[in-house]
Amino acid sequence: MGKTIRQLSEELKLSKQAINQRINSINGFRSKHTYKVKNHLEIDNQGVKMLANFGKQKRQDRQPNQQDKNDKNGKIDHILLKQLDVKDQQIANLQQALDQQQKLQIATVTENHRLKEHIRKLSGLLEPSSATQQQQSNDKDDTLSNSINAIHDNAENDKQDQSHIVDEKKKRIHKNKVNKSWWHFW
């Protein structure tokens, strides 16, 4: 004979709602282990045992789940450790590349200083003597005076050309006035 939910709740010292929750949480429990007698629901002996051991069963189900979680966490930890090793190697490689770059930069700067000193020494050897500088200054003065004279000559020629043109115009005007005298009309 089976037991009702009320009888089972008194026996297990649980509320009827707790018994109903356990029944609903087990898949297919109602169809396999319950039957209706008049107006109430009865649970067969095997169902009663399942509900009585429900808490123990849950704990046993949780233990493998905990073990699975622990295994997953262990795998994740292992993967993360591998990733950290890879990142550490990458950081070491980048640090080495940075050190090399800094060494090259220092070598370049020292080479630039050495070349600048060499250029200063060479420019000291190539500085012209005072006589050469005076000759260059005189050459510049001659070039300037020649160009000024050429400009002055061009200006005088332009003035002569313009005065010649003005004289020609005056002669034409005077000639036209002479031709317009009154006695020429007879």
Side-chain angles (χ1 to χ4, degrees):
M1 271 272 154
K3 294 185 180 181
T4 63
I5 292 178
R6 176 181 274 169
Q7 292 170 341
L8 193 58
S9 70
E10 288 173 3
E11 185 180 313
L12 297 176
K13 296 182 181 174
L14 294 171
S15 66
K16 290 192 288 185
Q17 289 87 4
I19 299 295
N20 278 323
Q21 284 178 348
R22 288 182 178 188
I23 289 170
N24 291 334
S25 66
I26 300 172
N27 290 335
F29 184 86
R30 285 191 187 267
S31 61
K32 294 178 185 174
H33 302 289
T34 61
Y35 52 95
K36 204 163 204 184
V37 177
K38 295 185 183 179
N39 287 337
H40 59 277
L41 188 66
E42 287 193 12
I43 302 167
D44 64 8
N45 289 334
Q46 189 178 2
V48 171
K49 288 179 183 176
M50 284 178 70
L51 291 175
N53 294 327
F54 183 78
K56 293 177 185 175
Q57 183 66 30
K58 274 290 197 186
R59 278 187 232 119
Q60 288 174 356
D61 289 345
R62 286 182 192 161
Q63 285 176 351
N65 287 343
Q66 283 293 350
Q67 186 63 32
D68 290 344
K69 286 181 183 178
N70 289 340
D71 291 344
K72 287 180 183 178
N73 286 341
K75 289 178 183 177
I76 290 172
D77 289 345
H78 183 68
I79 290 169
L80 290 175
L81 287 173
K82 282 184 179 180
Q83 288 179 346
L84 279 176
D85 288 341
V86 169
K87 295 297 178 192
D88 287 343
Q89 244 179 354
Q90 289 175 345
I91 290 171
N93 289 342
L94 288 174
Q95 185 65 38
Q96 185 180 8
L98 182 63
D99 289 343
Q100 288 176 349
Q101 179 64 29
Q102 288 174 344
K103 287 177 184 176
L104 286 173
Q105 184 70 24
I106 290 170
T108 303
V109 168
T110 55
E111 181 68 17
N112 283 344
H113 286 302
R114 190 182 65 77
L115 289 173
K116 284 180 183 178
E117 280 299 316
H118 188 67
I119 289 171
R120 282 189 199 127
K121 288 177 183 177
L122 289 177
S123 66
L125 294 175
L126 293 177
E127 282 185 12
S129 66
S130 60
T132 309
Q133 287 178 349
Q134 191 171 6
Q135 181 63 35
Q136 288 175 350
S137 175
N138 290 340
D139 290 346
K140 285 181 187 177
D141 290 343
D142 289 344
T143 305
L144 284 175
S145 63
N146 288 341
S147 58
I148 290 172
N149 288 338
I151 291 171
H152 183 66
D153 290 343
N154 286 341
E156 283 184 17
N157 288 339
D158 287 343
K159 283 183 184 177
Q160 287 177 355
D161 289 343
Q162 287 177 353
S163 64
H164 185 271
I165 291 171
V166 169
D167 288 340
E168 287 293 322
K169 284 183 180 179
K170 284 181 181 177
K171 285 181 185 178
R172 276 190 222 145
I173 292 171
H174 182 65
K175 189 176 184 182
N176 287 340
K177 283 185 180 179
V178 171
N179 289 340
K180 292 183 182 178
S181 299
W182 66 273
W183 56 83
H184 288 281
F185 294 116
W186 298 96

